[in-house]
Amino acid sequence: MNTILAASFLIGGLSAVLAAMIVVVDSIVNNYGEVKIDINNGKKELKVNGGAPLLTTLSEQGIFIPSACGGRGSCGACKVKVLSDIGPILPTEAPLLDEEEMKQNIRLSCQVKVKSDIAIEIPEELFSAKIFNGVVEKINDLTYDIKEVKIKLVEPNEIEFKAGQYMQLVIPPYEKINEYTQRAYSIASSPSQKDSVEFFIRLVPGGIATTYVHKYLKENDQIELVGPFGEFYMRDTDADMICVAGGSGLAPIKSIVADMFEREITNRNVWLFFGARSLKDLYYVDFFQDMEKKWDRFHFVPALSEPQPEDNWKGETGLITDVLGKYFKEKMDQNTQKEGYLCGSPGMINACIKVMTENGISENEIYYDKFA
């Protein structure tokens, strides 16, 4: 027993020494010094110390790339196009890149280390993303598992964004969560409301951010946000807009529709299909029904897939895809150009894309936000 114990101590000691040696060697060998990051062909040039992930390096310079997982390489949101040779795609990147993205040398900025001069390409709007400090002004229960959170902006005290975009909430450590975490949530409020932002946040069992919001976040709490981000917004065309939302996916659709109404963009036909299981899962119904009365070309269609007897539901029933298909055939003008706007679970969105393409909408005219 003493011999085994001595051997264990020896192995443990050797492991500790080896680990220390690796740290020392890494600090010497991987001393990359100052490197240059060229962004969008000279639009912006940064001189930084090498060695850190590109995502972190850019954020330290005030350029924020979307990252819903906090840089862990699990969400795939932090993609950038790399214009210089930085080596092959890493095994940690490959599962989150499709074949076309690989051909274009799209990389995950959280996985790419800045080791030498690098040239990248990012959407121009990311130059406008910034850190906001705010105070929770109001928390309202929309359903049993969705909260409406309104945050008053403090510094900066105003925001510019496109209806449909999202921000990342910075979640502080709590319980067994030992580090800060960022999660993405669509903005539900209208861009005209510049001094605050609103979100619809559904409780996801085991979700780090949603658990914090539902269990710990209180009115008057300080909170940090990053953004705005995203390319889910109204396209400037005359096409009919076919919008489908499920759960908290109503948030960006509400922002888009409210913004259109405020700016008097009421010449387009807009159909909003809102799917839920039962009456207890529906919310903002009065808001959209009131808008329907004021806007002749706006049509609101809530549908329940599993209405309960006590719901006394008189509206549409069935899966939202079935209701959508029915309206395509029976209610909508078959001769008009149409665009799709979808926000909800990946399964719902994939099913809606199938219905829309079967009814004449080109896949490149269907825009969506998938909630993982």
Side-chain angles (χ1 to χ4, degrees):
M1 182 67 73
N2 289 339
T3 303
I4 294 172
L5 188 61
S8 297
F9 277 124
L10 179 61
I11 292 170
L14 287 172
S15 298
V17 171
L18 182 59
M21 288 176 65
I22 290 172
V23 170
V24 172
V25 171
D26 184 65
S27 66
I28 296 171
V29 175
N30 295 334
N31 181 15
Y32 302 107
E34 187 177 82
V35 299
K36 184 176 75 173
I37 302 176
D38 180 293
I39 306 175
N40 293 5
N41 294 312
K43 172 78 182 275
K44 196 172 186 68
E45 287 190 359
L46 305 174
K47 290 183 179 180
V48 301
N49 291 324
L54 179 60
L55 177 70
T56 305
T57 303
L58 290 174
S59 67
E60 288 174 349
Q61 298 296 315
I63 297 175
F64 302 100
I65 308 297
S67 172
C69 68
R72 293 181 177 83
S74 61
C75 71
C78 65
K79 295 172 183 175
V80 300
K81 185 172 185 177
V82 178
L83 306 177
S84 49
D85 183 12
I86 59 168
I89 290 170
L90 302 173
T92 50
E93 298 178 90
L96 296 166
L97 299 171
D98 61 34
E99 188 175 339
E100 185 59 32
E101 287 174 328
M102 291 183 187
K103 286 180 182 177
Q104 294 180 16
N105 208 26
I106 304 297
R107 304 292 294 267
L108 297 187
S109 61
C110 70
Q111 300 300 300
V112 172
K113 275 196 172 183
V114 181
K115 300 178 180 180
S116 59
D117 291 353
I118 183 174
I120 65 172
E121 194 174 277
I122 63 175
E124 290 287 328
E125 57 264 25
L126 291 186
F127 290 119
S128 301
K130 57 185 77 169
I131 295 176
F132 290 82
N133 291 300
V135 174
V136 179
E137 189 171 55
K138 184 180 180 182
I139 299 177
N140 179 42
D141 289 329
L142 296 177
T143 70
Y144 63 96
D145 67 347
I146 298 178
K147 287 185 182 291
E148 180 179 38
V149 180
K150 182 177 182 180
I151 299 172
K152 179 80 171 175
L153 300 177
V154 177
E155 181 57 42
N157 61 4
E158 287 193 349
I159 186 172
E160 298 279 348
F161 68 94
K162 291 181 180 179
Q165 289 189 302
Y166 67 91
M167 298 190 77
Q168 293 178 179
L169 269 62
V170 180
I171 306 301
Y174 72 96
E175 290 185 0
K176 295 181 180 180
I177 309 302
N178 299 319
E179 56 189 0
Y180 284 86
T181 307
Q182 292 190 25
R183 289 294 185 270
Y185 295 101
S186 295
I187 303 171
S189 46
S190 170
S192 64
Q193 186 178 303
K194 296 180 183 297
D195 64 346
S196 61
V197 284
E198 297 170 11
F199 304 94
F200 299 161
I201 300 179
R202 185 176 71 85
L203 178 62
V204 177
I208 293 174
T210 66
T211 299
Y212 177 79
V213 169
H214 278 253
K215 193 173 178 181
Y216 296 100
L217 190 67
K218 301 289 186 291
E219 292 178 357
N220 298 316
D221 281 358
Q222 295 183 357
I223 192 164
E224 196 172 87
L225 310 93
V226 184
F229 301 112
E231 298 180 5
F232 184 69
Y233 50 81
M234 181 198 73
R235 268 49 184 186
D236 188 15
T237 72
D238 293 324
D240 292 354
M241 296 172 61
I242 315 302
C243 309
V244 186
S248 57
L250 188 62
I253 304 290
K254 173 188 174 283
S255 181
I256 289 171
V257 169
D259 181 53
M260 291 178 69
F261 185 75
E262 288 175 7
R263 294 195 290 139
E264 298 183 353
I265 306 175
T266 53
N267 59 309
R268 299 174 68 172
N269 286 311
V270 178
W271 292 82
L272 171 52
F273 296 85
F274 183 29
R277 281 186 178 174
S278 63
L279 192 62
K280 69 177 183 177
D281 299 294
L282 281 181
Y283 61 97
Y284 261 87
V285 172
D286 291 344
F287 175 87
F288 289 111
Q289 287 179 339
D290 183 59
M291 183 169 288
E292 201 172 23
K293 295 173 184 175
K294 300 173 183 176
W295 182 355
D296 290 343
R297 293 175 177 265
F298 177 72
H299 314 280
F300 177 56
V301 186
L304 301 183
S305 60
E306 300 175 17
Q308 301 302 301
E310 62 270 21
D311 292 343
N312 294 315
W313 181 247
K314 306 299 182 185
E316 296 290 346
T317 59
L319 295 175
I320 197 64
T321 45
D322 294 336
V323 176
L324 178 63
K326 170 186 167 184
Y327 272 68
F328 263 114
K329 292 177 174 59
E330 298 179 4
K331 304 282 187 178
M332 296 182 196
D333 188 340
Q334 302 296 311
N335 300 313
T336 58
Q337 186 74 19
K338 296 178 179 64
E339 296 171 344
Y341 294 83
L342 314 173
C343 195
S345 69
M348 186 207 82
I349 286 177
N350 292 336
C352 286
I353 289 174
K354 185 174 184 295
V355 173
M356 288 184 168
T357 53
E358 288 173 350
N359 284 276
I361 302 182
S362 168
E363 195 159 345
N364 61 12
E365 292 177 326
I366 301 174
Y367 311 100
Y368 52 84
D369 257 357
K370 289 184 179 180
F371 286 8

